[in-house]
Amino acid sequence: MTQLPGSWRRTAAAARLLGADGEVAPTIFAEMSALAASTGALNLGQGFPDEDGPAEVLEAARAAISDGRNQYPPGRGEPELLEAISEHQKRFYGIDVDPSTEVIVTAGATEALTATLLALLDGPGDEVVVFEPFYDAYAAAVGLAGARLVPVRLPWPGFQPDLDALERAVTDRTRVILVNDPHNPTGAVFSLDVREKIVELAHRHDAIVVTDEVYEHLSLDGPHVPIATMPGAAERTVSISSGGKTFRTTGWKIGWLTAPADLVTAVLTVKQYLTYSNGAPFQPAIARGLRLPDTFFAGIADEMRAKRDLLGSGLAAAGFTVSRPSGSYFTVADAAPLGADDAAELCRTLPERVGVVAVPLSAFVTAEHSDEYRSLVRFAACKRPEILDEAVSRLAELNR
Ligand code: PMP
Ligand code: GLN
């Protein structure tokens, strides 16, 4: 190993992201995909589709490369994508968004989230209320901003927060209420009561609502309702999404956010020094995708609903107790009926035992609450039906 200069110090922000052993720990998703690759197991761990998305979208990217759209796009994003995002918000949700001042294109939803949190948080006195279990990047970004995470638990199996607990968590220290709906890893879609409470508390404590809606078109039991459409919400909401899930292009990393112009300006000041811009030929391709007919969007939800049902019934037949997700890529199942109280241990051994990879819910929770989620496992349903079929029949071997 090369010796670092004597003056080198790890920053506090970087230190917060290190594993316990002082090494850079891979994300749980990277770890699980590596395990799937090394064992040849079926990967129901990391949430990415195993089929390509719409041909028109892929073709639009190829055409953009051939047409020489290979240099830096504008920092805010290609005008045609900004327009397409604005049209999309109007078409699906009736929201008016000015494409020139109220939208930014980002390097995936991940950059939108990180830039927003870095722009809004001002160190140790600031708190971010987050629903637990939560997506791994949230704690990392709040950690980079040096702020404090305040988790509100989503109890198994319905995964709706207790409104009193939510009310206690939000205080005048709360700068951001971070809402992921449909929710990863639980598949929950928040009830109207919860959405109303979030907006009411944001007003009472002068907080900003930041939404992560990357599964907006995978709301499976009814239309997706963005928080920004709730009365009084739009003026204090940053709405984040991305093309990865909708168009099965997770590797393209084209995301975006919409917000009132002043908030967009605040976030843009950070974003322009994170990546400046990204994905030149993919931006027009995602614009093409956002303009696909309604049948495309209804079709991906229908397909995901069928996969959810297939996975859910297969897991139940294999002996798990299964929660019923209303959206997202994921299904959570309890392994306790199979005699497995420790899902982390189960997931470490599953590839060898039956050739399936899944993720323990403990990977999405803080240490204080991990007991409550100890026997729960997240399975990704965004795979071909024959893969889901094979996976659940392998999992049934656990019961023999
Ligand atoms: N938020 C959630 C809830 C996710 O599940 C993911 C990724 N799968 C992301 C954000 C990251 O999205 P992107 O790949 O667009 O950065
Ligand atoms: N969002 C995907 C998941 O939850 C993983 C994305 C990633 O690997 N960072 O599985």
Side-chain angles (χ1 to χ4, degrees):
M1 239 175 64
T2 50
Q3 195 65 38
L4 288 163
S7 59
W8 183 82
R9 297 281 179 279
R10 200 185 315 283
T11 65
R16 278 191 287 274
L17 300 181
L18 283 178
D21 55 1
E23 294 297 320
V24 176
T27 73
I28 184 75
F29 310 116
E31 187 182 341
M32 289 303 166
S33 284
L35 195 57
S38 67
T39 58
L42 300 175
N43 189 355
L44 272 48
Q46 192 174 28
F48 63 87
D50 57 357
E51 288 175 288
D52 273 335
E56 303 93 310
V57 172
L58 303 181
E59 190 45 45
R62 284 186 205 103
I65 292 174
S66 302
D67 292 347
R69 300 183 67 172
N70 301 307
Q71 311 311 325
Y72 300 123
R76 276 181 193 269
E78 282 292 355
E80 88 192 82
L81 179 53
L82 298 174
E83 291 277 353
I85 293 163
S86 167
E87 283 167 25
H88 171 274
Q89 296 305 93
K90 184 72 177 175
R91 168 179 162 199
F92 286 98
Y93 311 125
I95 300 175
D96 286 304
V97 170
D98 179 342
S100 56
T101 59
E102 296 179 333
V103 192
I104 334 179
V105 176
T106 54
T110 307
E111 190 197 29
L113 280 158
T114 304
T116 301
L117 293 172
L118 289 173
L120 297 178
L121 300 172
D122 206 13
D126 287 352
E127 295 184 350
V128 177
V129 169
V130 68
F131 296 91
E132 183 179 28
F134 50 81
Y135 183 58
D136 65 344
Y138 300 176
V142 171
L144 285 174
R148 209 170 83 83
L149 206 61
V150 178
V152 175
R153 287 172 310 110
L154 301 176
W156 157 268
F159 298 118
Q160 297 292 321
D162 175 70
L163 295 185
D164 293 330
L166 176 56
E167 182 145 358
R168 282 193 302 276
V170 183
T171 70
D172 289 346
R173 288 185 301 279
T174 308
R175 294 294 285 266
V176 169
I177 306 176
L178 179 48
V179 186
N180 174 211
D181 184 25
H183 186 259
N184 177 8
T186 67
V189 166
F190 285 161
S191 68
L192 179 62
D193 282 2
V194 173
R195 284 195 296 267
E196 283 176 348
K197 191 61 155 185
I198 290 167
V199 177
E200 177 199 324
L201 292 169
H203 269 276
R204 195 187 305 164
H205 297 285
D206 198 18
I208 302 291
V209 180
V210 177
T211 69
D212 174 346
E213 303 178 51
V214 299
Y215 300 103
E216 62 184 319
H217 289 293
L218 299 171
S219 175
L220 306 177
D221 295 334
H224 173 61
V225 183
I227 291 214
T229 62
M230 307 284 296
E235 69 210 48
R236 54 176 66 245
T237 300
V238 178
S239 306
I240 293 173
S241 191
S242 96
K245 310 298 162 5
T246 301
F247 305 112
R248 296 184 179 164
T249 51
T250 61
W252 287 9
K253 299 295 286 191
I254 300 297
W256 55 86
L257 63 87
T258 61
D262 287 348
L263 277 171
V264 163
T265 302
V267 178
L268 190 57
T269 55
V270 176
K271 182 261 180 304
Q272 69 181 344
Y273 297 115
L274 287 179
T275 55
Y276 175 53
S277 66
N278 72 294
F282 302 122
Q283 293 199 23
I286 295 295
R288 176 91 174 82
L290 289 171
R291 289 171 167 147
L292 285 172
D294 291 353
T295 46
F296 164 76
F297 294 91
I300 59 169
D302 289 346
E303 252 185 70
M304 187 50 78
R305 197 175 298 112
K307 289 178 177 184
R308 168 195 67 185
D309 295 345
L310 181 65
L311 177 64
S313 55
L315 289 171
F320 291 87
T321 305
V322 185
S323 78
R324 190 173 183 284
S326 294
S328 88
Y329 275 170
F330 306 107
T331 293
V332 175
D334 188 356
L338 292 164
D341 289 332
D342 182 346
E345 172 60 21
L346 177 71
C347 290
R348 262 192 302 276
T349 56
L350 263 189
E352 289 295 344
R353 287 172 67 191
V354 296
V356 175
V357 165
V359 181
L361 236 65
S362 56
F364 301 86
V365 304
T366 52
E368 303 92 85
H369 299 143
S370 65
D371 269 359
E372 192 178 330
Y373 300 94
R374 197 173 143 82
S375 58
L376 302 179
V377 183
R378 187 193 84 169
F379 293 92
C382 50
K383 309 288 169 172
R384 281 165 290 154
E386 58 271 29
I387 298 293
L388 297 174
D389 259 338
E390 174 62 23
V392 293
S393 73
R394 290 184 186 186
L395 289 163
E397 291 166 25
L398 291 170
N399 225 352
R400 295 209 182 97

